Amino acid sequence: MERHLISDRATVIEALEKLNKLSGGRMTLIVTDADGRMCGTLTDGDVRRAFLRGVALDDSVEVAMNRHYSALQAGEDMVEPLRGMRIRGLRLVPVLDEEGRVVRIIDTHVTRTILPVRAILMAGGKGERLRPLTLSVPKPLLQIGDRPIIDHNIDALASVGVSDVTVTVNYLAEKLEEHFAAPVSGIDVKCVRETMPLGTIGSVSLCDIPQEGDTIVMNSDLLTSISFEDMYFHHKSEKADITIAATPYNVSVPYAILSTEGTMVRSLEEKPSYSFYANAGIYMISNRLLRSVPAGVRTDATDLIESAIASGMRVTYFPINGTWIDIGSPADYAHARELMRQVTDFPSHP
């Protein structure tokens, strides 16, 4: 952060030297006053315009800086305003404390938003359909491109500002714990070990879930380009207790299907196709509901969803507009690896 900060008492030539060191990166300086409060921004364009006004190299940055800047306030919900700034093309967005001091600078090319959620990734399965690959390596650590499957998902969460990430482990738990001994995508991932198989969501009962807010719960062996930001907006706008990410699933019937009434045939439909939405194994769930998952009891995600529906809670779905691969078989794994070879930046998280 410091390399983007400059005092308003610095000279224009000092600012140019600092901008030159940023060449090839985000060439913007955040100008602060003697008390460390933000008072402007400075780019090479601002300097050129200042020269045209007669500003000299030894004049202070104060006379060249742009006083009309955008910033976020620490502690406030940043999702909507940050999205607006990103759409306007702002790349560096300062975050200020109550006194106007810079506490963080967000690069919207790296961190697209700051979602006020935490995440829990399920990584306890044995991956039996992928044996012998998973005899000594847990499925989430199988390589896709230059890194393990689970790291692609950690990176996607980091890109939307999720920094509180827990991975629940069981099979070959020590391998995952060793992997996450070092930060991944800047996140210190916590591992929680199951003492017994707890189903597809029961292990959340082992995690520290706050009373308020929402949590992303997802399988760790997915390769997807889902927009967590759009899913969050959908979840909030629907006032949902659970939002289920859904992937399109098409079924083609290779026969003529009869439409019947009693014993009578009313019509024939030749080789029809039907479209459905399938559960993608990614959920946004209110913490209040997650805290109700019983401890020490095997619980599948479908159990929680069906219980929520039966209780009259709001359960919605969010269609994935992009790639989703459940890496459950050798064919799926080969497909994911081939897809990674064909692109240079995957997943893309819009």
Side-chain angles (χ1 to χ4, degrees):
M1 184 176 80
E2 290 299 322
R3 66 199 195 105
H4 286 281
L5 298 179
I6 192 168
S7 167
D8 62 352
R9 300 290 100 186
T11 64
V12 172
I13 187 63
E14 289 173 330
L16 284 173
E17 290 171 349
K18 199 157 190 175
L19 283 169
N20 188 57
K21 292 178 182 178
L22 299 174
S23 182
R26 290 91 62 193
M27 296 183 66
T28 301
L29 296 175
I30 308 298
V31 185
T32 59
D33 64 17
D35 294 319
R37 291 187 293 263
M38 182 175 179
C39 55
T41 60
L42 188 76
T43 66
D44 57 347
D46 293 323
V47 174
R48 287 195 301 270
R49 286 185 287 272
F51 286 157
L52 291 174
R53 298 196 309 269
V55 171
L57 287 172
D58 58 355
D59 285 338
S60 70
V61 164
E62 186 178 19
V63 299
M65 69 183 184
N66 173 23
R67 298 177 183 273
H68 304 288
Y69 57 85
S70 297
L72 296 172
Q73 195 69 38
E76 295 183 357
D77 187 345
M78 301 181 188
V79 182
E80 195 72 60
L82 186 55
R83 187 182 213 185
M85 292 177 186
R86 194 181 71 231
I87 291 171
R88 281 161 43 205
L90 297 183
R91 180 165 180 181
L92 288 188
V93 179
V95 180
L96 311 179
D97 64 14
E98 293 180 352
E99 297 182 351
R101 295 185 176 90
V102 182
V103 295
R104 179 179 183 182
I105 299 175
I106 299 171
D107 182 348
T108 60
H109 286 200
V110 177
T111 304
R112 298 178 59 79
T113 188
I114 307 291
L115 297 185
V117 300
R118 59 182 55 206
I120 301 174
L121 278 66
M122 304 293 155
K126 294 182 177 180
E128 292 177 332
R129 288 184 295 161
L130 278 166
R131 290 184 174 176
L133 294 174
T134 53
L135 287 174
S136 59
V137 178
K139 182 166 63 167
L141 293 185
L142 293 178
Q143 293 285 122
I144 298 290
D146 61 351
R147 52 188 165 163
I149 299 167
I150 194 170
D151 284 9
H152 289 282
N153 293 312
I154 300 293
D155 183 59
L157 292 166
S159 75
V160 292
V162 179
S163 58
D164 188 335
V165 178
T166 300
V167 175
T168 64
V169 300
N170 186 334
Y171 175 68
L172 297 176
E174 66 283 355
K175 299 276 189 178
L176 285 154
E177 291 166 346
E178 180 182 352
H179 177 71
F180 288 116
V184 173
S185 298
I187 297 177
D188 290 316
V189 178
K190 300 181 290 291
C191 287
V192 172
R193 189 184 291 211
E194 293 179 333
T195 56
M196 58 175 283
L198 291 174
T200 58
I201 206 169
S203 60
V204 301
S205 65
L206 304 174
C207 303
D208 182 20
I209 308 292
Q211 292 188 5
E212 303 299 326
D214 302 280
T215 296
I216 295 170
V217 179
M218 64 183 292
N219 298 338
S220 63
D221 53 2
L222 304 172
L223 196 65
T224 178
S225 60
I226 187 172
S227 170
F228 289 115
E229 182 184 32
D230 289 345
M231 187 178 184
Y232 173 81
F233 279 117
H234 172 89
H235 181 74
K236 286 303 184 183
S237 67
E238 293 291 333
K239 297 180 172 59
D241 295 291
I242 303 179
T243 296
I244 306 168
T247 184
Y249 187 78
N250 300 314
V251 178
S252 297
V253 180
Y255 309 106
I257 298 300
L258 282 61
S259 176
T260 62
E261 185 179 337
T263 59
M264 303 300 293
V265 176
R266 296 306 182 189
S267 64
L268 291 172
E269 186 175 2
E270 188 68 31
K271 299 179 179 178
S273 294
Y274 301 98
S275 297
F276 305 93
Y277 277 115
N279 182 355
I282 306 170
Y283 314 95
M284 194 164 289
I285 307 176
S286 72
N287 290 339
R288 176 174 54 87
L289 179 57
L290 270 187
R291 287 168 61 89
S292 72
V293 174
V297 177
R298 181 184 177 91
T299 307
D300 288 332
T302 50
D303 299 328
L304 184 65
I305 293 167
E306 289 171 355
S307 174
I309 293 171
S311 300
M313 294 183 176
R314 291 186 63 81
V315 178
T316 69
Y317 73 96
F318 173 77
I320 295 176
N321 181 21
T323 300
W324 177 85
I325 304 174
D326 177 14
I327 303 172
S329 68
D332 295 327
Y333 184 44
H335 174 48
R337 295 180 71 187
E338 180 59 29
L339 180 62
M340 186 61 68
R341 278 193 289 268
Q342 293 176 7
V343 295
T344 58
D345 184 21
F346 182 89
S348 172
H349 297 276

